[in-house]
Amino acid sequence: MKKIEDLKVLIDNKTLIKRIKELAKEINNSYDIKKPLTLICVLKGAAMFYCELAKYLKMPLKMEFVRLSSYGNSTKSKGEVKSLNLSLPNFENENVLVVEDIIDTGLTLDFLVKFIEHNCCAGDVKLAVLFDKKCARKYDIKPDYSAFQVDDKFIVGFGLDYQGFYRNLDYIGYFE
Ligand code: IMP
Ligand code: MG
């Protein structure tokens, strides 16, 4: 079991919030802000990033939540996506932005984007992630917006967990 005493700070809260505000600006600038946008939160990990990002978006916003899991209690992807709640409305050609904590192998987001494209009549589907762990990518999928790049470490905090814990930290930490 990893212990909080062994946790090192990777990104402090001030840096996280500043970068999320910048990302929101980038998103506002690349959409027509008069058009509605549905923001989809991938629970549980994206919860904090999602709420923070939503505060600064200027378009008429709808908020949806799905719950997916691919890690279980491990620190490596198990290679299959468990969909715990995937009820989404018909988007009637409106724009959709999927918000996720971290893209690792790409399995989760590849699965979700394909699901939305096949089942929800969305217009444009884009992806925003707090972290892009590019070195671990196995699926051909690229986020449209990403706040930070991270190398091959297991990180926790600001929504990200290890065995269900540490999601409430207001910073990003890693275990040495
Ligand atoms: P993927 O499907 O392999 O891209 O994995 C994405 C999911 O794995 C994310 O939504 C996270 O829940 C989890 N994940 C990947 N890397 C980390 C990490 O470093 N810390 C915590 N969770 C992670
Ligand atoms: Mg996740």
Side-chain angles (χ1 to χ4, degrees):
M1 180 68 187
K2 299 183 193 303
K3 293 193 299 253
I4 196 148
E5 300 84 73
D6 303 325
L7 203 56
K8 301 270 181 293
V9 178
L10 184 67
I11 303 172
D12 65 18
N13 182 260
K14 215 172 134 199
T15 310
L16 279 171
I17 304 302
K18 183 168 169 263
R19 180 68 190 119
I20 294 170
K21 283 183 182 167
E22 276 173 16
L23 199 72
K25 210 182 239 177
E26 194 185 320
I27 295 171
N28 285 327
N29 288 338
S30 67
Y31 279 92
D32 176 353
I33 58 163
K34 290 192 207 77
K35 278 201 181 153
L37 177 71
T38 298
L39 213 56
I40 301 181
C41 177
V42 187
L43 292 171
K44 300 174 190 169
M48 291 227 194
F49 171 47
Y50 180 84
C51 292
E52 194 59 36
L53 184 70
K55 289 189 214 169
Y56 312 112
L57 295 181
K58 296 196 169 134
M59 51 294 271
L61 211 66
K62 286 186 206 157
M63 296 166 89
E64 292 289 341
F65 298 82
V66 296
R67 192 164 160 215
L68 301 174
S69 165
S70 68
Y71 262 49
N73 272 342
S74 143
T75 58
K76 286 267 171 273
S77 174
K78 287 199 303 218
E80 70 183 82
V81 181
K82 220 159 97 190
S83 116
L84 300 156
N85 180 352
L86 199 44
S87 56
L88 286 169
N90 183 315
F91 294 116
E92 288 169 8
N93 243 20
E94 285 183 1
N95 294 335
V96 169
L97 180 61
V98 174
V99 180
E100 174 63 309
D101 53 357
I102 184 165
I103 179 165
D104 187 54
T105 65
L107 171 73
T108 307
L109 287 176
D110 184 68
F111 168 87
L112 182 58
V113 167
K114 283 183 181 145
F115 178 88
I116 294 168
E117 285 173 351
H118 291 145
N119 299 285
C120 305
C121 300
D124 180 54
V125 182
K126 285 199 162 64
L127 298 175
V129 299
L130 184 57
F131 289 98
D132 187 354
K133 209 188 259 186
K134 254 189 197 153
C135 56
R137 198 66 36 81
K138 288 187 187 150
Y139 290 77
D140 184 23
I141 182 164
K142 229 171 53 197
D144 300 279
Y145 309 97
S146 86
F148 300 94
Q149 304 287 331
V150 67
D151 53 22
D152 202 9
K153 1 172 118 61
F154 193 79
I155 55 175
V156 295
F158 213 75
L160 292 122
D161 74 306
Y162 170 66
Q163 297 192 343
F165 293 100
Y166 308 110
R167 292 192 199 275
N168 60 314
L169 301 179
D170 74 352
Y171 62 91
I172 296 291
Y174 68 99
F175 292 100
E176 268 196 329

